[in-house]
Amino acid sequence: MALKTDAIGKTYPAVSYAVGREKVREFASAVGEEGALHHDPEAARAAGYADVVAPPMFAVVYGGRAMAPALFDPDVGIDFARMVHGGQEFVWGPPVVAGDEVATEVEVKNIADRGGLLFYVFETRSTNQEGETVCTGTWTNIVR
């Protein structure tokens, strides 16, 4: 069967995520970020932030939710039984803090056969309520 590449360039509607203080604290604890900026609103405010600051990799929380429609899109055609995680890369903008509303859109950047392995590359673009890009992510999945 030929590799389906028609979905390259396809974008998906933005998915909104309301960043909650307890979610930031829970994520920070789960990844070992025990600094006061991630747990104590007063410490975060004293440092100039509106509320607790999400660790950078919190991007997988709001970005991952937005990825689901692309991953399960039949036009993309991923065979999940043979899929492995290939990698993630992120470029961060301003920090995400509790109280932010982050909207993430997804685009299929590439679908390619490389030596019999199928590479599915997606890009997420996440913006806050001020229109600032807080994170751009590249998500690579490989089907063997």
Side-chain angles (χ1 to χ4, degrees):
M1 176 166 46
L3 179 63
K4 295 170 57 172
T5 59
D6 291 345
I8 296 172
K10 185 174 183 177
T11 59
Y12 299 82
V15 174
S16 186
Y17 184 87
V19 180
R21 182 183 293 160
E22 290 308 311
K23 290 294 182 186
V24 169
R25 287 174 167 162
E26 289 168 359
F27 185 88
S29 291
V31 298
E33 291 283 357
E34 295 302 327
L37 292 180
H38 306 298
H39 296 276
D40 181 358
E42 294 308 315
R45 288 186 190 108
Y49 300 101
D51 210 312
V52 293
V53 179
M57 286 305 294
F58 193 76
V60 300
V61 175
Y62 54 80
R65 176 178 287 182
M67 283 288 298
L71 290 173
F72 291 102
D73 184 346
D75 289 343
V76 174
I78 294 178
D79 178 356
F80 287 97
R82 301 172 58 91
M83 186 183 85
V84 295
H85 176 70
Q88 293 169 296
E89 298 175 30
F90 296 103
V91 175
W92 288 279
V96 170
V97 300
D100 279 353
E101 192 78 29
V102 178
T104 302
E105 67 176 9
V106 176
E107 179 181 354
V108 180
K109 294 301 277 187
N110 198 20
I111 301 171
D113 184 331
R114 297 183 191 153
L117 297 175
L118 306 181
F119 284 73
Y120 295 83
V121 181
F122 302 89
E123 181 178 271
T124 54
R125 294 176 293 274
S126 303
T127 56
N128 64 18
Q129 66 281 355
E130 304 298 324
E132 301 169 305
T133 301
V134 295
C135 185
T136 301
T138 302
W139 309 62
T140 304
N141 295 288
I142 303 168
V143 174
R144 14 182 204 106

